[in-house]
Amino acid sequence: MKILRRLGWLTAPLIFIAFLVGWKLYVELFGVSRFILPPPEQVGRAFIELVLGKTTGMHAGITLYETVMGFLFALLFGVSLGAILGKVPWLERALMPFVVALQVVPKVALVPLFILWFGFGPGSKVIVAAVLAFFPIFTNTLLGVKSVDHGHRDVMESLNAGRFKTFWLLEFPSALPYLLAGMEVGIVLAVIGAVVGEYLGGSEGLGHLAVATLNAFQVDALFAVILLLTVMGFGLWLLVVLLRRAVIPWHDSVVYRAPSEA
């Protein structure tokens, strides 16, 4: 089993290396134009040039700000609304159709409205990021609050605990695994929302930089921007994963053991 665990750490790097080798072979063996699909080493050089560029830090900082602010707004409203609707069933039945309707509307169609209402600055991109990240956080919080064991609720009632104490000592800790799972999805969607907002209406950020490289027919630079966005998104997701490990170290999702180790 120790050997299998060690191999597990090597799996991702090996898959990545195999992907790069397959990419290189595909470009060389099939004679794919560098304008359509540049080889990995060309993208690597473009990525280094992008990282060392004078304006890259500014663009990346703006995208990071929009993503984090949108995620925090989604976290605030998603947790609040999910906790309230989880405690008030009739309000959940009344408001849930409107929440779902907001979610199923294509967000790309809403971006022009957000730009019209909030301008071309970071505000409209923050709103787009928040709207995309809101739903998984909200639904997971709602599910977590509603999934508390009835026996535990009975114990709190027998102790004459009020609603606030019951929520703070029982429902909120029980909902944390669900909430943190929603946060892992939400932070990724927040990155997508910020980039989509910059792509459709903005003069700053990595989304705008991607459009600029595309308009200049710099395909390798476009791949480099995409790679930088991937690194940023993965880093933010990893922070949420580490937060989950720190906040709920007792949960099965953190202390998972293989069946043979149980």
Side-chain angles (χ1 to χ4, degrees):
M1 293 304 299
K2 292 183 178 179
I3 296 177
L4 292 178
R5 282 198 296 268
R6 291 174 182 175
L7 289 177
W9 289 103
L10 295 175
T11 301
L14 290 175
I15 292 176
F16 181 68
I17 293 172
F19 170 75
L20 293 179
V21 172
W23 179 359
K24 176 66 175 178
L25 290 176
Y26 175 76
V27 171
E28 297 298 335
L29 295 178
F30 292 91
V32 180
S33 170
R34 266 55 175 175
F35 178 77
I36 301 298
L37 180 64
E41 68 273 11
Q42 184 176 338
V43 174
R45 288 192 296 267
F47 179 75
I48 294 174
E49 293 175 2
L50 176 67
V51 171
L52 298 178
K54 295 181 179 179
T55 62
T56 302
M58 181 269 293
H59 287 295
I62 290 174
T63 301
L64 182 62
Y65 168 79
E66 295 165 350
T67 300
V68 173
M69 289 303 297
F71 175 73
L72 291 178
F73 278 118
L75 185 62
L76 174 64
F77 289 102
V79 172
S80 301
L81 188 60
I84 293 173
L85 297 193
K87 295 285 290 181
V88 187
W90 68 265
L91 191 59
E92 178 191 358
R93 291 191 294 269
L95 295 183
M96 199 64 180
F98 298 99
V99 176
V100 175
L102 176 64
Q103 180 62 24
V104 298
V105 172
K107 304 306 179 294
V108 176
L110 296 177
V111 173
L113 283 177
F114 293 148
I115 293 174
L116 177 64
W117 293 339
F118 303 101
F120 284 91
S124 57
K125 287 71 177 181
V126 169
I127 297 299
V128 177
V131 170
L132 261 70
F134 166 79
F135 196 71
I137 296 175
F138 161 73
T139 52
N140 279 40
T141 303
L142 177 63
L143 178 62
V145 172
K146 295 173 64 177
S147 299
V148 177
D149 186 83
H150 290 289
H152 294 165
R153 291 186 188 274
D154 294 338
V155 171
M156 296 301 291
E157 290 181 3
S158 67
L159 296 174
N160 294 321
R163 288 190 175 184
F164 178 77
K165 275 193 173 181
T166 300
F167 174 77
W168 185 249
L169 298 177
L170 174 63
E171 294 171 344
F172 183 69
S174 299
L176 270 177
Y178 299 88
L179 169 60
L180 290 165
M183 289 171 60
E184 290 182 24
V185 179
I187 191 63
V188 175
L189 294 179
V191 176
I192 296 173
V195 173
V196 168
E198 294 169 351
Y199 185 88
L200 295 178
S203 58
E204 298 173 319
L206 293 179
H208 166 74
L209 194 59
V211 176
T213 55
L214 179 62
N215 292 337
F217 301 104
Q218 298 174 340
V219 183
D220 55 348
L222 175 59
F223 273 84
V225 174
I226 295 172
L227 179 58
L228 182 56
L229 281 168
T230 303
V231 172
M232 178 185 295
F234 183 81
L236 291 172
W237 174 81
L238 186 59
L239 287 177
V240 177
V241 171
L242 294 176
L243 177 65
R244 174 165 60 86
R245 291 180 177 274
V247 173
I248 53 171
W250 45 267
H251 195 257
D252 288 343
S253 62
V254 176
V255 293
Y256 171 78
R257 295 181 179 181
S260 60
E261 298 177 358

